[in-house]
Structures are given as structure tokens and as C-alpha cells.
Amino acid sequence: EVKQQLDRIKKETDLEIAKKTAMEELKNYQKDYFYDEANQPKKDQIVEEGMTNISQADSLEKVKEALETAKKQIDDLIKEALEQFKKKAIEEIQNYEKDTLYSDENKQKVDEIKKESIDKVQNSASKEEINHLVKEAKEKIEAILKLKDTVYEVSFLDFYGNIITNKDGSAII
């Protein structure tokens, strides 16, 4: 009978330690991830519900299950937020300078840049990486726009037959 009591006490102690450890793990899980205004309350609610489920668990298995469920919900929240961020980034790339008139050759270059950038965004794992890819795509498109400006500026002669110069004043012969 004493052995049974000791076993019961050990089980209860192990369960309390497991609960405390699981709660600490859940509290710190993905805490460095930047949650936007819409997702921070959702994450807080998941953690709160997870803490409640962990504290009410009556076995080590249920503690583990409650922790894993809450962690998966947080991962899903982050994944969903990243997918929404990707969607916005892709729209931003698609719409960037879309109404600009390009030569056929430059339009093809811009379309290739956009396609390549969108492919990279779809395979990105972080908001920082996505922001970098959007910025890079815009810079590449702007470089083509500058090229277009140069081509058109030097293709005209003035009334006296002089070559019209670039915006920076350099003459193109």
C-alpha cells in the first residue's frame, strides 16, 4: 500500500512537472516571430487555450497532446499569415509599372523579371526574404525603364541635326 501511494505521488509530481514544462515551452514557442495586429490576438488566444488544456490534462499523454495541438495551431497561423503576405507581394510585383509602355523587347524582359520574382516569392520562407525579393524586382524593372528612357532620348535629332543628349547631358553618337 505504501508503494502504491509513492507511485501515485511520483505520477502526480511527474504530471505537474510535465505541465509546467509544457506551459513554459508553449509560452516561448515562436515568440520571436513578428505577428501583425490581426494575428497577435489569435496567437495569444491559442496560447491561452493551450495553457488551459495543459493545466486540465490528467495524464502525461494529454499534456503532450495539448502542447502539440497548440504548437500546430501557431504554426498554421504563421503559415497562413505568410501565405497572405506572399499573395500581397505577388500582386505588388504584378502591378508594378504595369501601365508603362515598353518596347516589345523590354516588355519581355519585365515579364521575365516579374515571373522569376514571383516564383522566388512563392518559395520564400520569411517576410524579410519576400520584402527583399519585391524590392529587387522593382529595382530591376526600374533599370529597364531607365534603359527605355535612354533609348528614346537619343533616337531624335533636333532641328539643326544635332543629337539630343541623355538626361545627364552626355551625348550619344
Side-chain angles (χ1 to χ4, degrees):
E1 194 176 296
V2 172
K3 183 174 177 358
Q4 284 177 333
Q5 281 184 325
L6 287 174
D7 286 348
R8 187 180 50 77
I9 291 170
K10 183 179 179 340
K11 258 187 183 173
E12 288 173 7
T13 304
D14 288 349
L15 183 60
E16 290 308 311
I17 291 171
K19 286 180 180 183
K20 190 174 185 179
T21 304
M23 285 181 180
E24 193 63 32
E25 184 177 338
L26 180 57
K27 190 171 81 176
N28 292 318
Y29 188 69
Q30 296 285 19
K31 74 175 190 181
D32 293 334
Y33 179 82
F34 177 76
Y35 298 89
D36 59 22
E37 293 170 13
N39 287 322
Q40 186 64 51
K42 291 178 186 175
K43 194 250 185 183
D44 294 343
Q45 183 181 357
I46 291 168
V47 170
E48 193 175 310
E49 288 173 9
M51 295 286 199
T52 300
N53 292 338
I54 289 168
S55 69
Q56 293 175 352
D58 58 5
S59 70
L60 293 173
E61 293 76 26
K62 288 184 181 175
V63 169
K64 184 179 178 187
E65 184 181 309
L67 175 62
E68 295 306 315
T69 299
K71 286 168 65 175
K72 183 182 180 323
Q73 289 174 335
I74 292 170
D75 289 341
D76 290 347
L77 179 68
I78 291 171
K79 186 177 178 183
E80 181 185 321
L82 188 62
E83 289 305 312
Q84 288 299 320
F85 197 76
K86 285 180 183 182
K87 188 177 176 183
K88 288 178 184 172
I90 288 168
E91 287 174 12
E92 188 174 346
I93 291 169
Q94 286 172 332
N95 293 328
Y96 191 69
E97 297 289 351
K98 75 174 188 177
D99 295 328
T100 303
L101 296 176
Y102 300 97
S103 66
D104 289 343
E105 179 185 347
N106 286 344
K107 179 163 179 23
Q108 185 178 355
K109 287 178 186 175
V110 168
D111 289 346
E112 286 172 16
I113 290 168
K114 287 182 177 184
K115 183 188 179 317
E116 179 184 309
S117 299
I118 288 168
D119 288 345
K120 287 179 181 178
V121 165
Q122 288 172 330
N123 294 316
S124 296
S126 72
K127 289 182 177 182
E128 294 79 17
E129 184 181 1
I130 292 167
N131 282 332
H132 172 75
L133 291 168
V134 170
K135 181 177 179 241
E136 187 179 71
K138 288 179 175 181
E139 288 170 355
K140 287 178 180 178
I141 292 168
E142 286 168 10
I144 289 175
L145 284 175
K146 287 182 180 142
L147 184 67
K148 176 199 83 158
D149 290 346
T150 302
V151 170
Y152 288 127
E153 278 184 48
V154 299
S155 62
F156 297 102
L157 299 177
D158 67 13
F159 182 72
Y160 301 104
N162 298 318
I163 295 174
I164 296 177
T165 60
N166 288 320
K167 285 181 183 174
D168 66 4
S170 60
I172 304 294
I173 298 174

